[in-house]
Amino acid sequence: MPSQSSKQRKMFMSKFYGKYWITARDKYDINRYHKNYIELICNSISIGSSIFDVGIGTGIPFADRLQKKGYVVHGIDISEDLILECKRNNKFISCLQGDAEDIQFEDNYFDCTYCFASTWYFPDLYKSIDEMIRVTKKSGILYFDIQNINNKTVRENYEKRIAQKSGLNLVINYVKNLIKIITRRGFVDWTNIIYDVPSNLEELLNHLKSKDIQDIKIFDANNDLKEISIIDNAKINSGCLLFVIKV
């Protein structure tokens, strides 16, 4: 795997990926996956509650819709460009630039914290999870999803990304970037940063079990949030898993 530091990954997400996502986000509409997550929060968290979006992006699709349903929504993102776009999209969302590994809120601050489609961008996932637990009130709920390395497709795609950032593939990637510039299509990436990394489920569960939390549940995000037993986690191979943590 190409040598890269936490600082390099954060810089990439802050300076480059944010600008890309502002344009790319417009190409995607809300889908079933998004709707399931929003419905889960609405069915579990009372309207008017204070909720916290970690990796808020442009505010779409989650924060914007939840604010309009009556929640008091706060959020952070490492990209200043995305925060500015979020404020333009919905002035009633309180959002600021911030690092998931060092959240600038007091302990037990939010009724609910969620992090959707973002954990694979965090250099230190466990530190980020610890921070999300810290700022969530006791008996509050934390939601986050992961890419599961046990899934064959997820694992193969990750290995492919590593290969593309090494050796001869760096030259090939250079040519592809030139084509993207000429055609004005796709994300131009001149770095060798692997910015999205799937999670080891067994290690993650061991980390969570060491925390002072009340309950852990896992749902299959690719199968309409069907609950999954965590007794034998080696057999859990869905590509995207939603964790629901009662703090």
Side-chain angles (χ1 to χ4, degrees), residues 21-43:
W21 188 241
I22 288 173
T23 302
R25 173 66 251 178
D26 291 339
K27 300 177 183 178
Y28 300 92
D29 195 5
I30 186 168
N31 57 34
R32 191 169 183 173
Y33 156 89
H34 302 137
K35 290 177 180 178
N36 286 340
Y37 283 6
I38 292 170
E39 183 178 355
L40 181 63
I41 288 179
C42 292
N43 289 340

Side-chain angles (χ1 to χ4, degrees), residues 143-183:
Y143 304 89
F144 65 86
D145 55 2
I146 65 163
Q147 290 183 14
N148 179 17
I149 195 69
N150 290 345
N151 177 268
K152 183 174 182 291
T153 300
V154 170
R155 184 173 61 255
E156 289 178 348
N157 285 339
Y158 177 53
E159 291 170 350
K160 182 179 178 182
R161 291 195 296 275
I162 293 175
Q164 288 173 339
K165 301 290 185 177
S166 307
L168 180 61
N169 283 314
L170 284 174
V171 178
I172 296 173
N173 190 53
Y174 179 84
V175 174
K176 288 181 178 179
N177 279 329
L178 291 178
I179 293 172
K180 290 174 182 177
I181 291 173
I182 293 170
T183 61

Side-chain angles (χ1 to χ4, degrees), residues 2 18 43 48 59 82-83 108-109 129 137 140 147 185 196 206-207 209 220 222 224 233 238 241-242:
N43 289 340
L82 289 176
I83 289 298
N108 309 314
Y109 196 84
I129 289 173
K137 293 178 181 178
Q147 290 183 14
R185 297 181 64 185
D196 52 337
N206 286 338
H207 179 78
K209 289 174 182 177
D220 186 345
N222 299 127
D224 286 332
N233 58 72
S238 174
L241 300 172
L242 174 69

Side-chain angles (χ1 to χ4, degrees), residues 4-70:
Q4 55 188 292
S5 67
S6 171
K7 184 177 180 180
Q8 286 175 312
R9 285 182 65 187
K10 290 180 182 181
M11 184 276 293
F12 178 83
M13 295 304 298
S14 174
K15 302 299 182 183
F16 298 102
Y17 191 83
K19 288 183 172 62
Y20 157 74
W21 188 241
I22 288 173
T23 302
R25 173 66 251 178
D26 291 339
K27 300 177 183 178
Y28 300 92
D29 195 5
I30 186 168
N31 57 34
R32 191 169 183 173
Y33 156 89
H34 302 137
K35 290 177 180 178
N36 286 340
Y37 283 6
I38 292 170
E39 183 178 355
L40 181 63
I41 288 179
C42 292
N43 289 340
S44 305
I45 308 298
S46 301
I47 297 294
S49 297
S50 176
I51 62 177
F52 183 42
D53 186 329
V54 179
I56 194 170
T58 65
I60 298 171
F62 302 113
D64 178 67
R65 284 176 169 80
L66 289 167
Q67 187 281 319
K68 289 173 180 174
K69 287 181 179 293

Side-chain angles (χ1 to χ4, degrees), residues 51-59 63 73-84 86-87 93-106 109-110 113-118 122 127-129 131-132 134-135:
I51 62 177
F52 183 42
D53 186 329
V54 179
I56 194 170
T58 65
V73 181
H74 300 256
I76 61 168
D77 200 284
I78 200 166
S79 169
E80 183 179 11
D81 294 304
L82 289 176
I83 289 298
L84 291 173
C86 182
K87 290 179 177 179
I93 294 173
S94 176
C95 58
L96 51 86
Q97 186 177 18
D99 187 339
E101 295 175 17
D102 185 23
I103 297 174
Q104 299 300 302
F105 284 97
E106 298 174 1
Y109 196 84
F110 299 103
T113 299
Y114 66 89
C115 179
F116 297 148
S118 293
F122 299 158
K127 190 172 182 180
S128 300
I129 289 173
E131 279 290 271
M132 289 189 278
R134 179 184 66 78
V135 299

